Amino acid sequence: MLNKRERSIFETHFFGELPPAEIARLLGTSSASVYNSISRARAKLRQERTRVTLSLYVRRRAEQGLPRRNVLPSPP
């Protein structure tokens, strides 16, 4: 999912509450690079959250004996 650098930047920004400029200074990189890493990390986490949510939904339906998918009838 997140590589080591992305995870470090993400955790420092969100949990350490450091601004991107400060993170850039600590890592010896540009603020633009930090902003890009934060953006990529958010997108990856959003995608993973969607994957996990859908997986749990499908599993819950299977446990209830409901079909995995709903086939729509053909239009008239």
Side-chain angles (χ1 to χ4, degrees):
M1 181 148 82
L2 296 180
N3 65 39
K4 186 176 180 180
R5 184 172 188 277
E6 289 171 333
R7 184 181 178 109
S8 172
I9 290 172
F10 182 84
E11 288 177 347
T12 304
H13 179 66
F14 287 99
F15 301 127
E17 299 181 355
L18 290 179
E22 180 67 18
I23 297 169
R25 189 186 65 72
L26 290 171
L27 297 177
T29 188
S30 68
S31 292
S33 175
V34 172
Y35 276 108
N36 285 334
S37 291
I38 291 170
S39 178
R40 277 193 305 273
R42 283 180 175 159
K44 286 181 178 182
L45 291 173
R46 191 171 25 253
Q47 183 179 15
E48 180 65 10
R49 180 178 179 195
T50 300
R51 187 193 66 77
V52 168
T53 300
L54 289 175
S55 175
L56 290 173
Y57 173 76
V58 169
R59 186 181 315 149
R60 194 171 25 239
R61 285 182 59 86
E63 289 170 356
Q64 294 172 351
L66 299 171
R68 291 177 57 137
R69 58 185 155 179
N70 189 8
V71 179
L72 299 175
S74 298

